[in-house]
Amino acid sequence: ELKVEQNPLFLSMQEGKNYTIYCNYSTTSDRLYWYRQDPGKSLESLFVLLSNGAVKQEGRLMASLDTKARLSTLHITAAVHDLSATYFCAVDMNRGGADGLTFGKGTHLIIQP
Amino acid sequence: NAGVMQNPRHLVRRRGQEARLRCSPMKGHSHVYWYRQLPEEGLKFMVYLQKENIIDESGMPKERFSAEFPKEGPSILRIQQVVRGDSAAYFCASSRDRGHYGYTFGSGTRLTVV
């Protein structure tokens, strides 16, 4: 069974600081996704990482994938309050023709002025 | 492009009633996925459907829950005889080509069982 673990689960940080969220997964998978969720809202797609060594950046967020280590990171640079949200990583289940995502529990990020 | 449309946004049911949740995928998407999110948890996969076919229902509880995606009309997630533990947010996602280009999520239906 595919397991996806994120850490930390809760993170409070100050504006202007840098931090990294980690996502480990237990079995081989083709694709890894990062999503953002604001309270009471749906999931907003941030990144799709398709291959080993993939790195994608959008604004103050950068995501990377190491398939050998089964690890993805989401790095936040010079955090601003607007980035406060819950961030999920998810991995394609890729099981014999049936797809869908297995999610981590999410990282609740609070950025304080 | 209207995106993935789910309705209703909020649904309140008494214990023992039936709940019907609807999902219309994005235009051009033929793959539909249902997920359940409990408070403070990540999303849990329930079922994957294509038009008129259930491809994978390994995440669905074996009783009271069913899903369909008919040839015409939206996908329906049906919960019979709801119990308090069914209270959750239910999200639908759609994709083309089984997620290679990513998944688009709807706004969710928040089910409250009283």
Side-chain angles (χ1 to χ4, degrees):
Chain A
E1 180 188 345
L2 175 59
K3 291 190 190 318
V4 179
E5 291 188 354
Q6 282 182 244
N7 73 84
L9 297 183
F10 296 95
L11 176 57
S12 179
M13 56 192 292
Q14 287 186 315
E15 281 191 325
K17 300 289 188 183
N18 304 332
Y19 209 81
T20 301
I21 299 170
Y22 298 89
C23 175
N24 290 91
Y25 54 99
S26 60
T27 62
T28 304
S29 176
D30 290 345
R31 297 183 282 263
L32 188 136
Y33 306 79
W34 284 96
Y35 289 92
R36 168 182 172 149
Q37 186 180 37
D38 292 295
K41 303 292 186 182
S42 186
L43 277 75
E44 174 191 351
S45 179
L46 296 175
F47 301 107
V48 181
L49 302 170
L50 298 176
S51 60
N52 188 42
V55 177
K56 291 193 175 180
Q57 183 163 4
E58 182 74 35
R60 300 174 188 273
L61 301 178
M62 183 173 70
S64 66
L65 178 62
D66 180 344
T67 57
K68 292 180 182 176
R70 296 176 187 164
L71 171 68
S72 179
T73 61
L74 181 66
H75 187 73
I76 303 155
T77 301
V80 294
H81 178 70
D82 286 352
L83 291 179
S84 297
T86 299
Y87 292 85
F88 292 98
C89 67
V91 177
D92 252 323
M93 295 193 295
N94 194 26
R95 299 175 306 158
D99 291 333
L101 296 174
T102 298
F103 281 81
K105 289 193 172 183
T107 297
H108 297 270
L109 175 62
I110 298 172
I111 299 169
Q112 315 215 16
Chain B
N1 192 336
V4 178
M5 303 301 293
Q6 286 189 251
N7 66 83
R9 292 291 302 274
H10 299 275
L11 182 61
V12 179
R13 285 286 177 265
R14 295 187 184 279
R15 281 179 292 171
Q17 290 185 318
E18 178 180 289
R20 279 181 176 247
L21 288 62
R22 295 175 186 77
C23 169
S24 296
M26 278 186 70
K27 188 176 180 181
H29 287 192
S30 59
H31 304 261
V32 167
Y33 310 79
W34 285 94
Y35 294 85
R36 176 164 63 177
Q37 185 179 33
L38 296 170
E40 306 301 320
E41 293 282 329
L43 280 70
K44 302 285 188 192
F45 170 80
M46 298 181 74
V47 61
Y48 162 34
L49 310 103
Q50 295 180 33
K51 283 286 187 181
E52 299 185 278
N53 286 302
I54 296 174
I55 308 301
D56 181 358
E57 57 182 348
S58 59
M60 288 270 275
K62 298 220 181 308
E63 297 179 351
R64 303 187 297 107
F65 285 71
S66 62
E68 62 177 7
F69 189 13
K71 187 176 180 181
E72 300 291 337
S75 175
I76 306 286
L77 179 67
R78 183 181 176 205
I79 311 172
Q80 294 178 291
Q81 300 175 328
V82 296
V83 301
R84 288 244 170 93
D86 297 332
S87 295
Y90 292 83
F91 288 95
C92 168
S94 72
S95 74
R96 58 184 175 109
D97 287 355
R98 290 167 57 186
H100 182 77
Y101 297 99
Y103 301 85
T104 302
F105 282 80
S107 297
T109 293
R110 279 144 186 91
L111 172 66
T112 302
V113 179
V114 297

